Amino acid sequence: MSLTKFGIDDGPHNMDGLRLLARDGTEPVEAFIGRKVMDVWVESIEHRGGRQSLFRDQYNALGKRNLAAIERIVNAKYQRGAAINRQHPYVEVLVSDITESGEVLNLSELVREPLPPAFHGLA
């Protein structure tokens, strides 16, 4: 069975990454892509050299813009079941899951805020 009713949890939570909520029939399913995983995924497309980590509003916006691709990744991992995904029904998306999927993020609306001068002064 495929997951349905995917959505980005952009409410207050203490997880450092993109939190997704879905349903398997009537059962709730939580999925998660850590901030560092999102950073690696974005970096693989941007090729900017110096890493600048995403902030919550940025990865939430990316998640909403790319929800169909993320749904496919989460569904593929969820379908493998508890034998492969030991946290089943919780789904944690790893860099290897993204690489295996071949999915590419649409970064067309990603806005990078300039870093404060204090960040540039560190050497």
Side-chain angles (χ1 to χ4, degrees):
M1 174 181 273
S2 291
L3 296 174
T4 60
K5 299 186 180 183
F6 267 87
I8 305 297
D9 180 2
D10 55 4
H13 61 79
N14 62 358
M15 299 176 80
D16 191 18
L18 183 65
R19 183 172 182 247
L20 302 113
L21 304 173
R23 308 285 286 167
D24 179 354
T26 60
E27 296 299 313
V29 175
E30 180 181 357
F32 181 72
I33 306 176
R35 179 180 48 85
K36 291 186 181 197
V37 172
M38 291 291 293
D39 289 345
V40 169
W41 197 5
V42 168
E43 177 65 26
S44 72
I45 298 164
E46 285 187 326
H47 306 293
R48 292 170 39 123
R51 282 210 180 149
Q52 180 180 344
S53 190
L54 297 170
F55 296 107
R56 180 173 287 189
D57 59 339
Q58 291 171 314
Y59 55 72
N60 281 345
L62 279 174
K64 289 175 184 173
R65 177 120 179 112
N66 294 277
L67 191 57
I70 293 168
E71 280 184 40
R72 289 188 291 272
I73 294 168
V74 171
N75 257 314
K77 188 161 188 177
Y78 186 78
Q79 295 306 318
R80 295 180 198 154
I84 300 297
N85 182 16
R86 66 178 189 259
Q87 297 176 327
H88 191 78
Y90 174 82
V91 178
E92 183 170 3
V93 176
L94 308 173
V95 173
S96 59
D97 300 318
I98 294 166
T99 303
E100 181 180 302
S101 75
E103 295 285 353
V104 178
L105 282 174
N106 176 347
L107 302 179
S108 63
E109 295 183 17
L110 176 62
V111 177
R112 294 280 196 179
E113 298 294 326
L115 290 173
F119 280 85
H120 299 290
L122 300 174

